[in-house]
Amino acid sequence: MAESRDPSALDRTEVLRIRNDFPLLAHLVNGKTLVYLDSGATSQNPQSVLEAEQEFYEQRNSAVHRGAHTLAAHATVAFEDARATVAQFVGAREEEIVWTANATAGLNLLAYAFSNASIGDVPAESRRFAVGPCDEIVVTEMEHHANLVPWQELCRRTGAALRYIPVTDAGTLDLDEAARVIGPKTRVLAFTHVSNVLGTINPVAHLVGLARAVGALVVLDACQSAPHLPLDVKALDVDFAVFSGHKMLGPTGIGALYGRQELLDALPPVTTGGSMITTVTMERSGYLPAPQRFEAGTQPVSQAIAMAAAARYLMETGMERIHAREGVLAQRMLEGLRELPGIRLLGPAPGVERAALVAFDVDGVHAHDVGQYLDAQGIAVRVGHHCAQPLHRRFGLTATTRASAYLYTTEDEVDAFLQGVAGVRGFFGVK
Ligand code: PLP
């Protein structure tokens, strides 16, 4: 991955300079300066990303991989350059990056490809992905629904069993249980790199080791890690990984699926039609190798180009430095919240490395009320189950409030948020 060599955290001056690149951060909300602490849900876009999309429509808009005219050739080059940039961002080869609508679509693509490999007349090389009643798929209790429901559905379609690694009270994966749950029947281990609720950074190497020992494929949900820390899919030795453009300063409608080349080339297609075939007769069709095999129909071209602009922005800033900066913000949020009465924090305790997101419960006040109270002060946080109902149930909760920071978040914003939370219980008359 191209990386600034300086591993020190971004400093205050740099963060202020970065903020100038993000037009939306200067907005007022409810007459107050916006304090945007919802980047875990969707991040804001720098000017270079907005311009990349506009420039495409103004100067290159055309169908990729099809037309013989000059504009089509320019569009195709820009589209494939974008793939190369996003591949570089995660340490992959460009043939190993498939464009998807988002991370959810990437996970569904995998789950449906596995079931397509399990039914009917499939080529010999695809049979390695077949799953059936004797097989198990393993996930964790901290998964976002995007990395749970598609596997539940795969199990329903094929008769495979779904098992999961439980979460400890400390908000980490129970690794003793992981060693028991992952066994000879495990065909796929799918887990999140970073929890979108707990902020926990999971021990990828350890889990990959357990999966490799039983010959299982590893699927990494990198939705909350790709935007925030240096991600090298080769070094992590995962088989597949997914991430979304809109969480890493890019636009909505675009994400990526990484797959090891030999796996992607053997995986059956899911969405079929134009642009993914070699020869088509009235009886049957031949398919292109990856990534085109998985990119049927007209692609989100401008979004891919803008996602690449986002990846460039992050690489130029330096993922090590962003990660270091977010570590500082995470501890500031945690320490501040821990001081307040009636706050129950989820996830690793202060001092333990974690992502810059904190979910918490305010005793006596529903998370939606907390969110509305903060919103009235211009502070944007996420409330609800954050698409992780089983995890909330594990902690006896139905909803929490989550603040999530990014490279543009300032200490002043964190302090404004802490001050806001400090006033919640009093406002709602909770003693
Ligand atoms: N996985 C994790 C850990 C997430 O946090 C999210 C989004 O919040 C997703 C998957 C789904 O991402 P998307 O909605 O972009 O598909």
Side-chain angles (χ1 to χ4, degrees), residues 40-41 101-105 107 144 146-147 192 194-196 221 223-224 242 244-247 382 386-387 402:
N102 46 38
T104 305
L107 291 162
H144 186 285
N147 199 27
T192 192
V194 173
S195 163
N196 67 316
D221 179 352
C223 234
Q224 295 291 346
V242 297
S244 283
H246 71 98
K247 291 189 197 287
R382 170 93 187 253
H386 320 304
C387 299
R402 182 187 73 186

Side-chain angles (χ1 to χ4, degrees), residues 124-144:
E125 76 268 16
S126 300
R127 292 209 193 101
R128 64 193 292 188
F129 302 106
V131 292
C134 298
D135 298 321
E136 292 177 352
I137 310 291
V138 175
V139 295
T140 85
E141 201 177 10
M142 64 168 74
E143 295 314 309
H144 186 285

Side-chain angles (χ1 to χ4, degrees), residues 391-404:
L391 181 63
H392 277 77
R393 206 167 290 122
R394 155 73 181 81
F395 288 101
L397 297 165
T398 52
T400 52
T401 304
R402 182 187 73 186
S404 52

Side-chain angles (χ1 to χ4, degrees), residues 23-356:
L24 199 136
L25 293 179
H27 275 217
L28 295 183
V29 167
N30 297 323
K32 307 274 170 43
T33 311
L34 170 65
V35 173
Y36 189 72
L37 290 174
D38 198 18
S39 293
T42 205
S43 59
Q44 298 304 339
N45 313 105
Q47 196 65 40
S48 59
V49 167
L50 304 175
E51 283 168 6
E53 201 155 357
Q54 186 168 358
E55 195 258 8
F56 174 76
Y57 282 115
E58 284 178 355
Q59 299 187 31
R60 287 171 225 253
N61 185 23
S62 192
V64 299
H65 288 306
R66 285 184 197 168
H69 55 82
T70 304
L71 216 50
H74 286 173
T76 303
V77 168
F79 182 60
E80 290 305 327
D81 281 354
R83 193 192 306 274
T85 302
V86 169
Q88 181 194 3
F89 179 65
V90 295
R93 303 215 315 267
E94 56 187 281
E95 302 79 14
E96 297 177 315
I97 293 294
V98 176
W99 297 119
T100 58
N102 46 38
T104 305
L107 291 162
N108 275 279
L109 189 162
L110 287 176
Y112 274 100
F114 291 169
S115 48
N116 284 351
S118 315
I119 46 167
D121 171 24
V122 288
E125 76 268 16
S126 300
R127 292 209 193 101
R128 64 193 292 188
F129 302 106
V131 292
C134 298
D135 298 321
E136 292 177 352
I137 310 291
V138 175
V139 295
T140 85
E141 201 177 10
M142 64 168 74
E143 295 314 309
H144 186 285
H145 298 160
N147 199 27
L148 172 59
V149 185
W151 303 117
Q152 290 174 341
E153 285 294 300
L154 172 64
C155 290
R156 192 185 54 74
R157 291 192 297 272
T158 61
L162 188 77
R163 302 193 65 190
Y164 68 87
I165 304 168
V167 168
T168 65
D169 290 345
T172 55
L173 290 178
D174 184 331
L175 295 180
D176 292 336
E177 273 303 310
R180 277 189 276 276
V181 171
I182 299 167
K185 290 184 176 177
T186 310
R187 301 299 316 284
V188 179
L189 169 64
F191 65 96
T192 192
H193 192 176
V194 173
S195 163
N196 67 316
V197 176
L198 304 167
T200 309
I201 303 174
N202 283 322
V204 180
H206 182 84
L207 293 165
V208 169
L210 293 177
R212 291 278 174 255
V214 297
L217 290 166
V218 177
V219 177
L220 186 72
D221 179 352
C223 234
Q224 295 291 346
S225 58
H228 301 285
L229 49 83
L231 183 72
D232 186 329
V233 289
K234 298 288 180 194
L236 292 178
D237 191 30
V238 294
D239 296 305
F240 299 100
V242 297
F243 49 103
S244 283
H246 71 98
K247 291 189 197 287
M248 49 170 275
L249 311 183
T252 51
I254 185 80
L257 162 68
Y258 156 78
R260 281 201 288 123
Q261 173 109 51
E262 70 274 19
L263 294 178
L264 279 186
D265 281 342
L267 199 64
V270 173
T271 305
T272 53
S275 305
M276 51 76 72
I277 45 76
T278 49
T279 308
V280 178
T281 67
M282 287 314 290
E283 288 74 35
R284 53 189 307 130
S285 305
Y287 304 128
L288 287 166
Q292 275 74 31
R293 165 188 300 222
F294 301 101
E295 294 178 356
T298 304
Q299 291 296 298
V301 181
S302 66
Q303 291 91 332
I305 289 167
M307 181 171 174
R312 270 196 300 279
Y313 187 95
L314 290 168
M315 286 190 281
E316 281 161 15
T317 306
M319 293 306 296
E320 283 286 0
R321 304 196 64 210
I322 292 169
H323 181 48
R325 164 74 183 162
E326 292 188 15
V328 173
L329 295 172
Q331 295 309 318
R332 194 178 185 99
M333 286 198 281
L334 278 175
E335 297 287 356
L337 286 170
R338 198 169 58 162
E339 304 276 291
L340 302 176
I343 301 290
R344 177 180 168 202
L345 293 169
L346 297 191
V352 178
E353 192 189 27
R354 63 182 283 158

